[in-house]
Amino acid sequence: MSEQQVVSNPVKSILISQPSPTDQNSPYFRLAKKWNIKIDFRKFIQVEGVNLNEFRKQGLNPLDFTGIIFTSKVAVDHFFRLINEMRVEMPADTKFFCVSESTSKYLQIYIVIRKRKLFVGERRAIDLMPYLTKHKNEKFLFPCSNVHRKELPNKMVEKGMDLTEAVIYRTVNADLSDLKDIYYDMICFFSPSVIKSLYKNFPDFEQNKTRIAVFGPTTAKEARSHDLRVDVEAPKPNMPSMTAAIERYLRDIGQ
């Protein structure tokens, strides 16, 4: 079946490849109630932090860096876990560059941010470039996963900035064997690694009538590389979120 062919049977069940939201006001819960849909949540990948010995083998000392770039809350957690185990504290003049406001607020768990030099992007890592360029003479550390997008690091290197990537956690496939005989009308993917996890667990996965929803162009590219039909794609104009894109799709099929 080509991507132009639309599966029109109703969507009664959706699997979200992320942990269940802790906020009871999550738009996913509102979507489920409004459309009378069963929505389940399940992590397709999981994070394992590198231990202190593994970190030290990278030959890095956090105190050698004057600017720290955080593109996720997970990176914040594992960075401060490691420096706590090293029994060091980042100097007061260290600059922190956070991908979003939610990530910057999350820093409050570990530091008093009103006493720090903090720079906050809009949503994407590349949105930090104006701030990084303004402080291009800093020595930057980018705490990250073993699998991460290279757009921002590549741009920084292109601009001649002093950047070091530090792998502080790994993204590994979760065991999904208990889902083998369970069917969902739609599965939502948010990163290429999540789709890779699906095929690692189920090499013979066949889409059939299952709708595939993806977030972001790299996720869509990965889906299509496996010959999956992408039925829902976000973000799009007037559909900035996965829930908005799903709701548009439900209206379009006349559910």
Side-chain angles (χ1 to χ4, degrees):
M1 182 180 292
S2 69
E3 286 203 29
Q4 284 70 38
Q5 292 176 284
V6 178
V7 180
S8 59
N9 57 297
V11 175
K12 294 298 182 183
S13 61
I14 300 177
L15 179 61
I16 308 294
S17 59
Q18 289 186 330
S20 180
T22 55
D23 183 0
Q24 293 304 308
N25 294 318
S26 166
Y28 286 108
F29 297 141
R30 294 198 297 270
L31 182 73
K33 184 177 181 180
K34 177 178 179 179
W35 293 90
N36 191 27
I37 294 173
K38 175 188 177 185
I39 297 183
D40 290 338
F41 299 87
R42 178 64 180 275
K43 291 192 297 184
F44 277 43
I45 56 176
Q46 56 194 36
V47 169
E48 296 178 352
V50 304
N51 61 42
L52 188 54
N53 285 337
E54 291 173 312
F55 178 74
R56 283 177 169 158
K57 286 180 180 178
Q58 298 179 59
L60 302 176
N61 180 354
L63 297 181
D64 291 338
F65 299 89
T66 58
I68 314 296
I69 301 169
F70 290 123
T71 57
S72 71
K73 295 177 183 178
V74 175
V76 173
D77 282 334
H78 287 287
F79 176 78
F80 284 98
R81 170 183 61 83
L82 286 167
I83 68 168
N84 182 60
E85 291 177 10
M86 296 175 73
R87 297 182 181 179
V88 300
E89 184 176 339
M90 299 307 294
D93 60 352
T94 302
K95 296 179 177 67
F96 294 98
F97 300 82
C98 297
V99 68
S100 65
E101 185 177 353
S102 63
T103 304
S104 68
K105 288 181 177 179
Y106 192 73
L107 271 176
Q108 295 179 91
I109 297 174
Y110 300 100
I111 60 174
V112 181
I113 59 175
R114 62 182 174 81
K115 296 182 179 180
R116 297 286 185 164
K117 297 177 180 178
L118 189 64
F119 306 90
V120 183
E122 295 295 325
R123 182 174 58 88
R124 302 176 305 155
I126 199 66
D127 295 336
L128 286 170
M129 274 306 297
Y131 299 110
L132 298 169
T133 301
K134 187 175 180 179
H135 299 275
K136 61 182 179 181
N137 294 325
E138 302 296 334
K139 189 172 183 180
F140 295 103
L141 182 68
F142 182 24
C144 58
S145 166
N146 60 320
V147 179
H148 62 279
R149 295 186 64 180
K150 291 286 189 177
E151 184 181 18
L152 179 62
N154 288 348
K155 180 61 70 172
M156 293 179 68
V157 171
E158 179 185 312
K159 295 289 186 181
M161 298 182 193
D162 187 341
L163 173 68
T164 300
E165 298 179 34
V167 175
I168 61 172
Y169 62 96
R170 300 186 188 90
T171 302
V172 299
N173 299 322
D175 180 4
L176 307 174
S177 56
D178 57 304
L179 296 177
K180 181 179 180 180
D181 298 316
I182 300 177
Y183 172 82
Y184 287 92
D185 294 312
M186 181 182 290
I187 305 177
C188 301
F189 299 103
F190 295 84
S191 70
S193 57
V194 173
I195 296 176
K196 291 175 182 175
S197 177
L198 171 72
Y199 281 95
K200 184 69 175 179
N201 279 273
F202 308 113
D204 300 323
F205 174 79
E206 294 183 6
Q207 181 175 4
N208 298 321
K209 292 185 178 181
T210 300
R211 267 60 66 93
I212 299 297
V214 299
F215 192 91
T218 57
T219 310
K221 181 179 179 181
E222 181 69 24
R224 293 182 174 112
S225 75
H226 292 278
D227 294 324
L228 292 175
R229 182 191 68 253
V230 175
D231 301 279
V232 180
E233 192 169 351
K236 293 286 187 180
N238 301 319
M239 292 185 294
S241 66
M242 179 66 85
T243 51
I246 293 173
E247 188 149 19
R248 169 70 65 84
Y249 176 81
L250 296 176
R251 290 199 301 267
D252 286 347
I253 65 171
Q255 180 155 328

